[in-house]
Amino acid sequence: MTRRTLAALLVCLVAISALAPAAVAASPTPTTDGPTPLPAVQESNETATNATDAPTAAEQARISPAGPDVEYQRTSVTEDDAVFNTTGEFAYLSSTEPIDAVRISQSKADAEVLEGGHTIRVEYKPDAAPANASSLYPLEVFFDDGSSTELELYASATDQSVAAAQLEEWKPTIETLKDEAEEDGYDRTPAGTEEYVTWVDERAQLVDGFLTELAAQTIAWLIAGLMNPLNVILALALGALAMWRRRSKHGDLVDALSSMAGRYEQELTKLRNDRQRAKRTADDDQLSEVPAIGSYADYYEDAFGVKSPAQLAHLTATGEARATNDGLEMIHHGVADLNPEDLHDTWLEPVLRHLPNERQVLNHLLQNIKYMETEHNLGSVYRETRNDLEVMLDDLERKETQVTSTPAAAGDD
């Protein structure tokens, strides 16, 4: 290589070295006007955070009962928006937020969202809840925004229905129609009863048509007769003659019967008034005033809540009942439910805890009935009850005599 060539290369290298810093200085630098990656990431995080903080539909929804509030179909709130007690075959709930779907996992209940998306209908099977108890049915609710919540439904009396409650009043009429249909040769079925009713209706229409025609003819004859004054005078004369002959022949008997009927009504009214007055008077007496009971009256008041001879007599003769959803339910039927073989296993057990002598307790009941008969003239009301108690006492005395081989002590009474 010649010196001239080497010198040219050196000159090129020096020139390139001088131009490199100038190129770096001339290249564009980032300005603050353009977006940078880091602020974009921060903005995205802030948006996600704001979206997470927003309340969901499940959190905002207010859920409340929406069905009928009657004895056999009712929904009540135990805990707001969470726990409900339902009575009956159906339950309805309303939500302030739109609902997408609902679900009950148990097989004895179904749930659905009604049209509009704000009402839930729950239907129970008849055996979804045991008698006199309730069953839990968790209800999952899914809202349109994807959120969900779970409600607790405590179902009871699911074997009831509106139709059953309404038909209960018609049951006696339906049974009567079935009996009449069977007597006239029709089947004791809905179809047979319907045929019987149709047959009766046809007969009624036939008779009604005949009577209507006969009535029209009779009215026409009457009008024609009334248009003739001679017929009117003749009819009045015959009527007056018939009344005179009847009065002359049977007048005394008619007067006597009329007088007897009036006296009978008076006596009957007097007896009714006396009976009501006697019951009111007996209810004002104290049970301790019955000589055979005396201070033992406290035991009967503690056991049965009776304070007067009338109340204890009614309990003995009729029994005790309590109110239920279906009406009245008999707890016992008084003397009819007493078993002399084991009185401790009857409704007298609360008194026998304090007075273990069975004959003494039965005698208290008998003497109270006799008190009502003698003091208040109510023998016609309690005669059968007194006879039953006397037979029980004889049976009990006979049993005690057989066991001990000696007559029962007189002091037991």
Side-chain angles (χ1 to χ4, degrees):
M1 182 181 294
T2 62
R3 289 184 178 181
R4 184 176 296 177
T5 302
L6 182 59
L9 290 173
L10 289 174
V11 171
C12 290
L13 289 173
V14 172
I16 292 171
S17 301
L19 292 174
V24 173
S27 62
T29 59
T31 64
T32 57
D33 295 335
T36 60
L38 182 58
V41 173
Q42 293 176 348
E43 182 178 352
S44 176
N45 290 337
E46 291 176 358
T47 303
T49 302
N50 293 334
T52 303
D53 293 340
T56 63
E59 296 172 340
Q60 292 180 317
R62 301 276 75 85
I63 300 177
S64 58
D69 188 9
V70 294
E71 181 179 357
Y72 48 82
Q73 200 77 37
R74 178 181 298 118
T75 302
S76 59
V77 179
T78 301
E79 181 180 340
D80 291 341
D81 308 315
V83 183
F84 301 87
N85 287 329
T86 68
T87 300
E89 186 180 4
F90 299 95
Y92 293 89
L93 301 171
S94 65
S95 170
T96 57
E97 298 295 326
I99 301 171
D100 180 52
V102 290
R103 180 177 63 190
I104 294 180
S105 58
Q106 286 96 326
S107 60
K108 295 185 179 181
D110 294 315
E112 63 176 339
V113 181
L114 300 183
E115 185 176 356
H118 286 270
T119 303
I120 305 170
R121 179 181 182 272
V122 179
E123 180 180 359
Y124 301 104
K125 292 185 178 180
D127 58 346
N132 301 323
S134 60
S135 294
L136 172 62
Y137 288 90
L139 171 64
E140 297 178 82
V141 182
F142 303 93
F143 295 91
D144 287 349
D145 65 348
S147 60
S148 64
T149 187
E150 184 173 283
L151 310 178
E152 294 182 2
L153 305 182
Y154 288 89
S156 60
T158 54
D159 58 341
Q160 300 185 56
S161 67
V162 176
Q166 293 176 343
L167 287 176
E168 188 65 27
E169 299 178 359
W170 287 89
K171 186 176 180 180
T173 303
I174 295 173
E175 291 297 327
T176 301
L177 283 175
K178 289 164 64 178
D179 294 339
E180 293 179 355
E182 188 176 21
E183 290 177 0
D184 285 328
Y186 292 87
D187 293 336
R188 192 181 176 87
T189 60
T193 305
E194 184 177 0
E195 292 178 3
Y196 167 74
V197 173
T198 302
W199 174 72
V200 172
D201 183 62
E202 291 175 352
R203 290 185 60 189
Q205 291 180 4
L206 180 62
V207 173
D208 181 66
F210 172 75
L211 292 178
T212 301
E213 183 178 357
L214 182 60
Q217 293 177 356
T218 304
I219 292 174
W221 293 337
L222 289 175
I223 293 175
L226 291 175
M227 296 298 292
N228 189 342
L230 181 60
N231 292 336
V232 175
I233 295 174
L234 182 61
L236 292 176
L238 291 175
L241 179 61
M243 292 179 62
W244 175 79
R245 291 194 60 184
R246 182 180 179 184
R247 180 67 182 174
S248 61
K249 186 176 182 179
H250 305 291
D252 295 340
L253 179 60
V254 171
D255 292 341
L257 291 175
S258 300
S259 177
M260 289 177 60
R263 287 198 300 271
Y264 174 76
E265 290 294 333
Q266 292 176 358
E267 291 296 329
L268 186 60
T269 302
K270 182 176 180 299
L271 287 174
R272 290 172 180 168
N273 294 336
D274 290 344
R275 178 175 294 181
Q276 294 298 326
R277 190 181 305 109
K279 288 183 178 180
R280 289 194 296 269
T281 303
D283 205 40
D284 292 336
D285 293 348
Q286 295 295 322
L287 186 58
S288 57
E289 296 178 9
V290 180
I293 296 179
S295 60
Y296 294 119
D298 293 338
Y299 296 139
Y300 294 92
E301 182 176 355
D302 292 341
F304 310 120
V306 295
K307 298 182 180 180
S308 66
Q311 292 175 354
L312 181 57
H314 179 77
L315 180 70
T316 305
T318 307
E320 182 180 3
R322 61 186 172 194
T324 64
N325 292 335
D326 298 327
L328 289 179
E329 178 184 2
M330 293 302 298
I331 300 176
H332 64 82
H333 297 82
V335 68
D337 286 349
L338 293 180
N339 180 13
E341 298 298 328
D342 187 7
L343 288 176
H344 288 271
D345 195 28
T346 65
W347 57 272
L348 285 178
E349 190 274 335
V351 175
L352 291 171
R353 296 176 192 170
H354 306 285
L355 299 174
N357 190 322
E358 296 180 351
R359 291 186 69 253
Q360 184 179 14
V361 174
L362 279 181
N363 187 63
H364 286 169
L365 301 182
L366 176 60
Q367 296 304 319
N368 183 68
I369 293 296
K370 289 183 177 180
Y371 179 88
M372 296 294 293
E373 291 179 331
T374 57
E375 297 296 327
H376 299 286
N377 298 321
L378 294 174
S380 60
V381 178
Y382 297 111
R383 183 176 296 110
E384 184 176 351
T385 304
R386 172 171 55 81
N387 292 337
D388 291 341
L389 288 172
E390 288 176 344
V391 171
M392 286 187 185
L393 275 170
D394 291 341
D395 292 343
L396 194 58
E397 182 177 358
R398 189 179 304 109
K399 183 182 71 172
E400 292 179 355
T401 303
Q402 292 174 353
V403 172
T404 61
S405 299
T406 57
D412 290 345
D413 294 341

